[in-house]
Amino acid sequence: MLLKHTPTEVAERKSLTINPAKTCQPIGAMYAALGIKGCLPHSHGSQGCCSYHRSTLTRHYKEPISAATSSFTEGASVFGGQANLLQAINNIFTVYDPEVIAVHTTCLSETIGDDLKQIAAKAVSEGKVPEGKTIIGAPTPSYVGSHVTGFSNMVKAMAQLADETDKKNGKVNIIPGWVEPSDMEEIKRLASLIGVDITLFPDTSGVLNTPLTGQYKMFPDGGVTVKELKESGQATGTLALGEWCSAEAARWLDAKHKVPCSVLDMPFGLAATDRFIDALRTVAGASIPDSITTERGQLVDLISDMHQYFYGKRVAIFGDPDQVISMCEFLRSIDMYPAYVVTGTPGKKFEKRIKEITADMPFEVKVKAKGDMFLLHQWMKNEPVDLIIGNTYGKYIARDEDTPFLRWGFPILDRQGHQYFPTVGYKGGLRLLEKILDLLLARKDRDAPEETFELVL
Amino acid sequence: MSIKPKMVQWDPTDIKKELLKKYPPKVARKRAKQIMINEATECEAPPEIVANVRTIPGIITMRGCTYAGCKGVIMGPTRDIVNITHGPIGCGFYSWLTRRNQTDPGVDGENYIPYCFSTDMQDQDIIFGGEKKLEAAIQEAYDLFHPKAICIFSTCPVGLIGDDVHAVSRKMKEKFGDCNVFGFSCEGYKGVSQSAGHHIANNQVFTHLVGENKEPKEGKYKINLLGEYNIGGDGFEIDRILKKCGITNIATFSGNSTYDQFASAQHADLSCVMCHRSINYVADMLETKYGIPWIKVNFIGAKSTAKSLRKIAEYFNDPELVKKVNDVIAEEMPEVEAAIEDIKERTAGKTAMLFVGGSRAHHYNDLFAELGMKTISAGYEFGHRDDYEGRQVIPNIKVDADSRNIEELEITPSPDEFKARKTPAELKALEDAGLKFRHYDGLNPDLDKGSIIIDDLNQYEAEKLVELLKPDLFCAGIKEKFSIQKLGIPMKQLHSYDSGGPYAGFKGAINFYQEIDRLVNSKVWSYMKAPWQENPELTATFVWE
């Protein structure tokens, strides 16, 4: 047993987090910043954070993750990190020449109270920012929220680039939230099939799934441009996918530049994708092409073909709130039971939404926001499930409890495919179901006695 | 940046100039002192390298922090201590199972390695202080697990808001009575790299743990293996060999280690230091307080392993052990030699670059030598001058302002436990025979003249070096791996071993030869151009068959 010290009996814990279902803000800001074209993320703190965040993202994507750091020393930690950041800005533009530096903070610079805005202004006034180059910044204190909050904060900083304007350009902003480069590509494909002209931000496709060619570009061709971000205030509206990841930026654009917004769920699964496609159709005033209706029908067909294997199966799921909400809805739509649901990210709304989605189950879901994987495992020990869904850290529980395990979410450190094949949209729904079926049927094949071992399933 | 065909032989001084050319003047001046052309083998006064100095902001360093050096490296691999990170969630999360310290807890043994424990500090903890939460977290850990020990690791904000983790630890230790609780002030901003964290970990383990177990340990030829973290099972392979030789390993610091191993380290008669950088402090303190001499060993590379075993045998000076060691080497080497014979023709003459933490850039040089490969450039993230130039330079090292606050313990001989393991005459005789005590020669003497030695290599310099010198293999870590591979250069991670290993000892050497053979001879590097890119002009029409 790998997790042999986890007792079945659940004792209340108030202070000790064990096996977290979240990590800290700056990594989310770093990921979001990589979705800007020509951008070098910068971590304003001591250098350990930056190394950890780059390593984790690299292990997930198997791609280079470039980011710089202010490399605080003890002196800077006491007297302020302004000199470090000014030096860093100068060095970065001289040596690496990005179009944009996107600065985020850590618990260190937030605790000492460094003022990013003031330091950036000083950098500009001292001529450390070359003509035509951009600096943006987002405060990302690690002791508030989670990596999802950090992502949201940097996306908001991107929206804050929007110029003051009365013009409308007919485009629609889509904020996809923390999804994979493959998912961002899929969202762009769907929008283009419908004929909606979108600005997707952030957009890590073409950045974190680059080819091997013998050339290394620190700044690959993908990403949303600063020009597009500046024009995001001219959009007809904003579709924000995911309350936790995307709503802040969308609401800011609404409040500041009167760009109306709708906050939708992330388009994982049938119903959430339906709502997303319907919203796109409405904003574009266009009808949906048959090809998309066919994709939807194929997903429905697969559900009907394989319903017997989904029906009544109990699932434990952990991850980030926006993703988990849509996934739970998807599981319910194929008559599976999300029995245990945990996110490490705080937010009371989460528990409420999950309870609504699972209200028609014959038993009550166990759900906790700001929970951890230790608790989830304890629940599973008390009454097992048929499937566990979550990031790579779930493999320890899956092995101990001998439970089929779907890797989905962030980070996935031990498998490939997530950066190339989407899980959003109807196509993504097909892929999710293929993976779930593969797990359930492989288990059936493994466990069936020889006399009932079947060729056709 | 793309790789141009190999230029005519570059002069190392030109390479250095090229590396520095793009920097702002202040940065160039500083980096010039951290990049040296190796002449140590022939020059009477070898050039000094500047190391263990602050990182240049914005340069894209490979370095991590003090917390990583303390919790991640030294204390993380210990299986029966509950390690609680006192801080926001990130530090604990990122150091959770990401270093491959393998662990064998046995059937019923305690093993907290797969767990991550954190106080998950929130904004109210920053504002009102986190001591109460820490105290409650320690209590919860104790109630849930009843471990032998609970260790507390401070992160950046802890030092700034003034939480006293040591006072909380003392209080809880007294309260429990049967659980050792102690803390580490390893805030990420201390020092300039992971290195400060090593020192802090060494000090606290020596103060709170080493010597706790007074029961003598059974066994012949008792040693400690210091600075071996069992990455990919290295420690398992070394233990296999030691056992076969009849050598008793009392304590490994700290791969697959237990509380009791640390607590019993004073019973050994010799300390063998693998990673000099991370653990030399404990080695020195064990000698001063208990009279245990230390020697530098290296179990990376088959020849180095044999040499290290012979050094240990020489120290104990027992013909039975000398014979046993020679028998084991004779038994293990044929398989190693057969592997080299098969592989060497495909690797000989190839070139490598090694930029790894604080010791492997040196140790792996031996393995590449066995493969007939040449190290053309090497360096450390956080080595000190003694790791480059040898311990004889220690008296000349000035501790600068950034590292001055790392505590140096004053250790004196223990009045009742100090026991000189060898008489001065015996030590003198061993030294005359070539055994060096309390000494390490460093990386530089083992590199060829003209090799480029770079401290705290950054992303820009890594790319530039690869572009100019076009090595056949580049060794570093996960953050460097994929940018180097995009350039079409095979890249070997020498921190995580790319999920492979073990690479230590005799069997590990064979694993490594095979891995390097695979990497430098993989077909994949020939696929980078599509057929239509190699011949973009259409010169014929398609012939339908």
Side-chain angles (χ1 to χ4, degrees):
Chain A
M1 297 289 269
L2 289 156
L3 300 166
K4 63 174 77 171
H5 301 289
T6 305
T8 305
E9 189 195 337
V10 180
E12 196 196 1
R13 278 175 292 126
K14 281 196 170 134
S15 304
L16 185 66
T17 294
I18 313 176
N19 300 352
K22 67 167 177 185
T23 182
C24 67
Q25 283 210 37
I27 195 172
M30 189 182 282
Y31 178 60
L34 290 165
I36 306 172
K37 191 170 179 346
C39 177
L40 188 72
H42 181 89
S43 169
H44 186 52
S46 67
Q47 66 210 11
C49 314
C50 186
S51 276
Y52 275 142
H53 302 144
R54 292 176 63 201
S55 297
T56 305
L57 288 167
T58 294
R59 291 184 183 116
H60 178 82
Y61 290 107
K62 317 294 180 204
E63 287 283 320
I65 304 290
S66 298
T69 164
S70 297
S71 294
F72 273 58
T73 56
E74 189 157 13
S77 306
V78 176
F79 301 113
Q82 172 171 294
N84 290 55
L85 185 50
L86 291 175
Q87 267 183 60
I89 289 167
N90 191 36
N91 291 337
I92 289 167
F93 281 125
T94 312
V95 180
Y96 296 105
D97 195 30
E99 291 303 310
V100 189
I101 299 175
V103 186
H104 59 260
T105 57
T106 67
C107 44
L108 173 53
S109 50
E110 286 294 329
T111 303
I112 66 174
D114 271 359
D115 183 349
L116 280 191
K117 267 197 189 131
Q118 173 260 319
I119 301 174
K122 194 169 164 68
V124 173
S125 71
E126 287 181 0
K128 290 194 163 67
V129 181
E131 193 67 28
K133 307 276 179 172
T134 308
I135 288 195
I136 63 171
T140 52
S142 312
Y143 42 77
V144 174
S146 75
H147 58 295
V148 176
T149 322
F151 179 92
S152 166
N153 285 340
M154 184 53 79
V155 176
K156 187 176 172 188
M158 291 164 73
Q160 286 170 338
L161 276 174
D163 285 331
E164 204 65 58
T165 178
D166 293 327
K167 270 200 302 192
K168 289 283 170 201
N169 63 8
K171 289 174 85 172
V172 174
N173 300 319
I174 298 185
I175 307 179
W178 190 323
V179 291
E180 300 285 338
S182 47
D183 294 318
M184 301 203 186
E185 240 161 48
E186 178 65 6
I187 289 167
K188 288 193 285 192
R189 184 185 71 95
L190 289 167
S192 102
L193 280 173
I194 298 165
V196 189
D197 194 2
I198 66 167
T199 300
L200 187 78
F201 69 91
D203 179 6
T204 55
S205 64
V207 181
L208 295 177
N209 52 2
T210 62
L212 177 62
T213 61
Q215 297 215 327
Y216 169 58
K217 293 180 181 169
M218 181 175 278
F219 308 109
D221 298 331
V224 66
T225 62
V226 169
K227 181 170 176 287
E228 287 170 302
L229 288 171
K230 285 185 171 170
E231 289 166 6
S232 63
Q234 300 173 19
T236 314
T238 304
L239 296 181
L241 309 184
E243 174 75 39
W244 274 259
C245 284
S246 310
E248 279 260 324
R251 288 189 182 126
W252 190 90
L253 279 172
D254 194 345
K256 181 83 181 173
H257 296 294
K258 302 192 177 56
V259 181
C261 71
S262 285
V263 181
L264 304 174
D265 288 320
M266 280 184 177
F268 294 109
L270 185 66
T273 303
D274 280 350
R275 294 194 294 271
F276 173 60
I277 298 288
D278 209 36
L280 278 182
R281 174 181 73 125
T282 318
V283 295
S287 54
I288 298 299
D290 291 347
S291 58
I292 291 182
T293 312
T294 302
E295 284 173 19
R296 182 181 188 280
Q298 287 166 334
L299 178 57
V300 175
D301 188 62
L302 177 60
I303 296 170
S304 101
D305 291 346
M306 292 283 144
H307 184 255
Q308 72 194 83
Y309 300 110
F310 302 131
Y311 181 76
K313 294 287 193 297
R314 293 161 51 83
V315 185
I317 173 167
F318 65 95
D320 300 332
D322 294 325
Q323 292 85 336
V324 169
I325 284 169
S326 297
M327 181 58 105
C328 284
E329 191 188 26
F330 191 30
L331 293 173
R332 282 308 299 133
S333 71
I334 56 175
D335 291 308
M336 291 176 89
Y337 295 137
Y340 311 131
V341 184
V342 160
T343 184
T345 300
K348 284 212 173 72
K349 270 190 211 162
F350 177 80
E351 293 180 11
K352 192 164 163 274
R353 258 319 284 286
I354 297 294
K355 283 191 176 141
E356 281 165 14
I357 289 166
T358 56
D360 68 337
M361 296 205 307
F363 58 90
E364 198 176 340
V365 62
K366 281 190 194 296
V367 54
K368 191 160 165 64
K370 243 182 140 184
D372 58 29
M373 291 170 63
F374 190 78
L375 175 66
L376 183 87
H377 189 186
Q378 289 185 309
W379 284 341
M380 282 174 63
K381 279 177 171 288
N382 280 284
E383 198 182 340
V385 294
D386 302 294
L387 178 70
I388 170 166
I389 300 179
N391 68 33
T392 282
Y393 283 96
K395 76 194 269 182
Y396 289 79
I397 300 174
R399 179 172 154 133
D400 272 5
E401 304 305 322
D402 194 23
T403 308
F405 171 40
L406 174 68
R407 286 167 179 80
W408 184 71
F410 178 85
I412 296 171
L413 310 173
D414 60 339
R415 291 293 188 276
Q416 284 288 290
H418 47 91
Q419 65 272 63
Y420 297 117
F421 306 106
T423 53
V424 298
Y426 303 119
K427 287 269 191 217
L430 283 168
R431 176 161 172 256
L432 280 172
L433 291 191
E434 185 207 7
K435 287 177 89 111
I436 290 173
L437 275 168
D438 201 16
L439 290 163
L440 297 177
L441 298 183
R443 176 53 52 100
K444 189 174 159 67
D445 282 344
R446 192 196 81 177
D447 291 349
E450 287 189 6
E451 58 274 23
T452 60
F453 184 77
E454 305 261 4
L455 177 71
V456 182
L457 292 171
Chain B
M1 185 184 295
S2 68
I3 308 256
K4 293 171 200 94
K6 209 173 226 171
M7 301 285 194
V8 274
Q9 276 297 308
W10 279 87
D11 186 86
T13 30
D14 292 339
I15 301 276
K16 182 169 172 174
K17 261 188 218 148
E18 273 294 307
L19 292 177
L20 298 173
K21 213 163 72 181
K22 201 172 184 184
Y23 288 136
K26 257 174 87 177
V27 174
R29 274 201 298 280
K30 187 168 178 212
R31 289 303 296 154
K33 296 181 198 151
Q34 290 177 275
I35 301 173
M36 62 172 278
I37 318 296
N38 192 38
E39 296 175 341
T41 45
E42 289 179 21
C43 189
E44 261 183 55
E48 281 180 27
I49 191 161
V50 166
N52 192 35
V53 292
R54 66 168 65 173
T55 315
I56 297 167
I59 206 73
I60 313 197
T61 176
M62 296 153 69
R63 283 176 171 176
C65 68
T66 302
Y67 166 85
C70 181
K71 194 271 185 180
V73 172
I74 310 269
M75 296 311 291
T78 304
R79 65 174 165 85
D80 56 359
I81 296 177
V82 167
N83 288 322
I84 301 178
T85 300
H86 186 39
I89 201 67
C91 309
F93 180 87
Y94 303 115
S95 57
W96 181 19
L97 291 166
T98 45
R99 278 175 66 81
R100 299 180 58 229
N101 317 108
Q102 294 188 355
T103 301
D104 174 14
V107 183
D108 300 309
E110 286 174 88
N111 182 17
Y112 299 104
I113 302 267
Y115 292 91
C116 164
F117 304 99
S118 173
T119 55
D120 187 12
M121 289 176 97
Q122 301 295 304
D123 43 2
Q124 68 266 23
D125 304 317
I126 301 293
I127 298 162
F128 302 111
E131 287 184 13
K132 281 212 173 69
K133 189 174 195 184
L134 175 62
E135 187 179 318
I138 294 171
Q139 183 70 50
E140 287 175 4
Y142 179 79
D143 293 343
L144 268 169
F145 308 113
H146 296 281
K148 296 182 186 74
I150 298 173
C151 287
I152 311 302
F153 300 87
S154 304
T155 61
C156 289
V158 171
L160 301 172
I161 63 173
D163 275 5
D164 187 343
V165 300
H166 306 290
V168 174
S169 298
R170 270 195 305 275
K171 178 178 167 191
M172 298 312 275
K173 181 181 173 174
E174 272 167 36
K175 183 178 176 192
F176 299 146
D178 62 350
C179 177
N180 193 355
V181 187
F182 59 101
F184 298 80
S185 288
C186 53
E187 285 85 351
Y189 54 75
K190 292 205 167 155
V192 297
S193 66
Q194 289 93 312
S195 180
H198 301 150
H199 198 162
I200 290 163
N202 278 236
N203 288 350
Q204 293 301 86
V205 166
F206 196 80
T207 306
H208 294 277
L209 226 176
V210 170
E212 287 284 299
N213 187 354
K214 308 290 182 201
E215 288 286 307
K217 288 278 170 182
E218 296 296 313
K220 279 174 114 171
Y221 321 121
K222 287 179 279 195
I223 65 159
N224 294 320
L225 184 60
L226 303 184
E228 161 49 53
Y229 303 100
N230 203 24
I231 304 290
D234 276 353
F236 292 151
E237 166 66 0
I238 298 171
D239 277 343
R240 179 188 73 83
I241 296 167
L242 292 175
K243 207 171 159 193
K244 208 168 162 181
C245 294
I247 297 165
T248 308
N249 183 8
I250 300 292
T252 301
F253 282 57
S254 56
N256 192 36
S257 62
T258 58
Y259 183 88
D260 185 60
Q261 286 186 25
F262 291 133
S264 309
Q266 83 282 14
H267 297 304
D269 293 317
L270 174 70
S271 292
C272 298
V273 173
M274 271 284 283
C275 172
H276 173 260
R277 182 67 270 132
S278 64
I279 213 78
N280 73 88
Y281 316 98
V282 157
D284 279 347
M285 292 189 283
L286 278 170
E287 176 158 17
T288 309
K289 185 166 177 186
Y290 299 106
I292 309 170
W294 69 265
I295 55 170
K296 177 75 180 71
V297 294
N298 178 21
F299 289 100
I300 303 296
K303 284 184 194 152
S304 313
T305 301
K307 199 171 147 194
S308 296
L309 290 172
R310 290 199 173 103
K311 273 190 187 174
I312 296 170
E314 202 183 332
Y315 170 81
F316 285 104
N317 194 23
D318 181 334
E320 190 188 312
L321 178 63
V322 173
K323 181 176 182 312
K324 188 83 196 163
V325 160
N326 283 324
D327 288 350
V328 168
I329 294 168
E331 199 186 318
E332 299 274 339
M333 278 310 278
E335 205 186 329
V336 174
E337 278 154 10
I340 290 187
E341 198 181 339
D342 169 38
I343 289 165
K344 197 171 176 178
E345 61 182 68
R346 295 187 295 276
T347 52
K350 292 193 187 290
T351 56
M353 293 183 177
L354 280 71
F355 294 95
V356 204
S359 81
R360 288 199 178 99
H362 186 194
H363 290 164
Y364 276 78
N365 186 45
D366 291 359
L367 264 174
F368 285 116
E370 288 171 9
L371 285 167
M373 290 174 67
K374 187 173 147 71
T375 304
I376 52 176
S377 186
Y380 295 126
E381 280 173 54
F382 50 74
H384 298 197
R385 274 186 63 200
D386 41 322
D387 302 297
Y388 288 100
E389 300 171 50
R391 281 180 69 95
Q392 71 280 359
V393 305
I394 289 179
N396 309 327
I397 297 177
K398 288 193 194 81
V399 179
D400 71 8
D402 294 320
S403 299
R404 199 168 292 141
N405 288 345
I406 311 303
E407 189 189 12
E408 287 281 352
L409 295 186
E410 285 292 330
I411 304 294
T412 51
S414 164
D416 40 353
E417 287 178 280
F418 182 90
K419 188 183 108 212
R421 291 341 196 240
K422 299 271 179 190
T423 63
E426 284 170 331
L427 284 175
K428 172 87 172 44
L430 285 168
E431 277 178 341
D432 289 344
L435 202 61
K436 286 181 177 170
F437 290 99
R438 218 171 186 164
H439 193 72
Y440 173 44
D441 285 326
L443 163 72
N444 299 6
D446 279 350
L447 293 179
D448 288 349
K449 181 170 190 247
S451 319
I452 303 165
I453 299 169
I454 307 182
D455 183 65
D456 189 16
L457 183 85
N458 58 53
Q459 179 66 29
Y460 169 72
E461 290 165 9
E463 282 172 49
K464 200 79 188 162
L465 269 184
V466 167
E467 181 197 354
L468 298 173
L469 289 170
K470 218 182 173 211
D472 296 296
L473 185 70
F474 190 96
C475 301
I478 184 74
K479 299 191 297 295
E480 296 73 44
K481 181 172 178 85
F482 298 101
S483 62
I484 299 296
Q485 287 196 169
K486 295 278 184 205
L487 287 163
I489 300 294
M491 157 70 201
K492 179 69 197 165
Q493 291 187 64
L494 283 188
H495 297 274
S496 76
Y497 302 168
D498 293 298
S499 309
Y503 293 150
F506 300 108
K507 290 192 192 305
I510 297 170
N511 284 341
F512 192 76
Y513 305 149
Q514 290 167 344
E515 173 66 359
I516 298 308
D517 181 26
R518 177 190 74 75
L519 265 170
V520 298
N521 294 305
S522 164
K523 293 194 193 74
V524 67
W525 311 113
S526 67
Y527 304 152
M528 287 182 288
K529 288 264 176 293
W532 51 89
Q533 289 174 311
E534 279 167 3
N535 300 299
E537 302 293 323
L538 275 181
T539 54
T541 51
F542 192 76
V543 181
W544 299 92
E545 283 178 25

